[in-house]
Every structure is written in C-alpha cells, then in structure tokens.
Amino acid sequence: MGGAGVLKQSTMQRHLYEAGLGKKQMKRYAEKRETSSRRFCRPHRMELLQGDIKYGPDIRTTDGELIKTYLSSLIDDHSRYIVQSEFYDNQRQEIVEDTFHKAVLKAGKFDCAYLDHGVQYTASHLGKACAKLGIRIVHAKPGACQSKGKIEKFHQKVDQFIAEIRVAHVHSVKELNSRWKVFLEQEYQKEAHAGIREYYESYGAKVPACGITPEQEWMRDARGLIFT
C-alpha cells in the first residue's frame, strides 16, 4: 500500500490507458503513424493544408468551344474540410495564387502548406507571398503519393462529381463552379469521413456510430481562426 497522497503506478497506468495514452497504445499509434498516412494528421485545423491541382471535366460552350478545366484545392489536414476549391480554365500559377488568396480571406492564416513539385507550386512569387504571411511551404518528395493521401481521397469524391457533370448540360466554368459549390457544401463537407474515424480510433477514442463529418470536425476545433 502506498502512503496517503501517493498515486500507485498501477493506478496511473490504468488512467493513462483509459485516456488512450498507455505505453502500448502510444507505441501502436507511433507505428501506425509511420506506416499509414491515413491515420496521421495534425491535431488542429489550419496547422497544415494540402494543395493540389486535378484535371476537371471538358465542357462545351453554347458556341461550340471546348474548354478544358482544372480544379485547384486546399484541404485542411486535421478536419479534411475543404478550405478552398474552384475550377479554372487553365493551370497557370495564377490559379494557385488565387486559391491561396481566397483561402486566407475565408479562413485566415494557416501555418504550413504541403504541396507537390509542380511549377505552379514552386513559383518564387507564391513562396514570397506566403513568407510575408508567416506561412511555411513544404514540398512532397517525388513519388511520395501516400503522403498526400488526404487530398487524393478527396479527389475520389471529385471524380463522382465529374461523372455527374458529364451527363449534365454545363456550358461555362461559372456554371460548373456553381454546381461544384453545392456538391461540396451539401455532400462532401456534410458526409461522415472514414479518415476522421480512423484517426480517433487509432487513439482508442470512441466515435459516434454516425461518424464525424469534415464540417463538424472543422467547427468543433478549439483553435481559433487567425485573420491578419
């Protein structure tokens, strides 16, 4: 028996285990984090955003002109919430700058952006603009597809939208973005995300049977948004 006011080691270990912080649990979590990017994410929103450009659907104007489209997006690493996403009729560096600009106006400053080595993301102007805001840019290693798993998973939902658009009568990028906004806000952001469940369950935390949506995870985060 320990003296008054002394917490026995066995009792402390039990409390740590119940909180999901036992040695074995933390070891398993560390191993999972190293082997599965699906379960690893930053602990709070706006600490890290992942960015990417995806080919969108080809649309034909009422004049018969064929327009190729490209989707530029930023996803929050913690909540899987889409901070900014929009279709463009080109893939120049200006669309990335526009994506970052709108994300900051909408949700404030974020700590870091994780991007690939595309010319749109390595432009010096983007780096300088982010540096002024205190945003760090990290580029993925060539071929490190798994490290961008969250935005790749999101792109699967984009493919679903594109399939729907191909059978619809869409004749402009403006109309395409109008439909995309509805799909994004009413379907993706409000749909329970398997990655969020996996993250919490890897800590041993219970998740509601209905799951957690990106919008719910984003809104309940304790970190406030920082506007400059």
Side-chain angles (χ1 to χ4, degrees):
M1 295 292 290
V6 177
L7 182 64
K8 293 193 297 183
Q9 184 176 3
S10 60
T11 303
M12 181 173 68
Q13 288 176 342
R14 177 170 58 81
H15 286 309
L16 287 172
Y17 186 85
E18 290 174 351
L21 298 172
K23 287 183 178 180
K24 290 183 178 179
Q25 291 168 302
M26 293 307 292
K27 182 180 179 181
R28 285 199 299 269
Y29 173 68
E31 291 171 347
K32 289 175 182 176
R33 189 171 70 175
E34 290 176 359
T35 59
S36 175
S37 62
R38 292 180 304 165
R39 291 185 176 90
F40 172 71
C41 69
R42 300 299 303 169
H44 293 289
R45 65 181 179 179
M46 298 298 277
E47 288 188 358
L48 176 66
L49 301 188
Q50 290 187 18
D52 204 2
I53 296 174
K54 176 178 173 61
Y55 285 98
D58 293 345
I59 56 177
R60 194 172 294 278
T61 68
T62 52
D63 297 329
E65 179 187 0
L66 187 66
I67 300 176
K68 292 186 176 297
T69 65
Y70 308 88
L71 182 69
S72 176
S73 307
L74 284 172
I75 185 173
D76 179 56
D77 185 81
H78 172 74
S79 64
R80 277 74 164 180
Y81 185 81
I82 303 303
V83 179
Q84 175 60 25
S85 184
E86 190 172 326
F87 285 97
Y88 298 85
D89 62 1
N90 68 84
Q91 53 179 331
R92 297 189 298 269
Q93 69 181 57
E94 287 82 4
I95 75 170
V96 172
E97 294 170 5
D98 187 59
T99 302
F100 273 60
H101 178 68
K102 289 177 178 176
V104 171
L105 287 178
K106 183 188 300 183
K109 187 184 83 68
F110 47 96
D111 297 343
C112 180
Y114 188 67
L115 314 167
D116 62 26
H117 281 272
V119 293
Q120 301 93 338
Y121 293 121
T122 56
S124 61
H125 187 270
L126 177 66
K128 291 177 181 178
C130 286
K132 288 182 179 179
L133 291 172
I135 298 172
R136 189 164 61 98
I137 293 181
V138 176
H139 294 285
K141 295 179 180 179
C145 298
Q146 188 180 18
S147 62
K148 295 181 64 183
K150 295 182 183 68
I151 200 159
E152 293 299 333
K153 186 70 175 179
F154 164 64
H155 283 166
Q156 293 178 19
K157 292 295 294 185
V158 178
D159 288 336
Q160 179 185 329
F161 171 77
I162 291 175
E164 296 176 6
I165 287 298
R166 282 176 175 154
V167 297
H169 299 289
V170 176
H171 302 295
S172 69
V173 176
K174 182 179 180 180
E175 183 183 356
L176 177 64
N177 276 317
S178 179
R179 288 174 178 254
W180 172 236
K181 182 178 180 181
V182 172
F183 181 91
L184 188 62
E185 294 180 354
Q186 299 302 318
E187 292 198 35
Y188 174 81
Q189 308 278 43
K190 296 182 183 298
E191 185 177 277
H193 199 294
I196 299 175
R197 174 182 290 277
E198 289 176 355
Y199 169 70
Y200 282 111
E201 288 183 343
S202 71
Y203 274 112
K206 291 184 179 180
V207 177
C210 60
I212 302 172
T213 71
E215 184 177 74
Q216 289 171 332
E217 187 66 8
W218 170 268
M219 294 299 293
R220 72 179 190 165
D221 197 288
R223 170 172 168 158
L225 299 180
I226 306 170
F227 292 91
T228 57

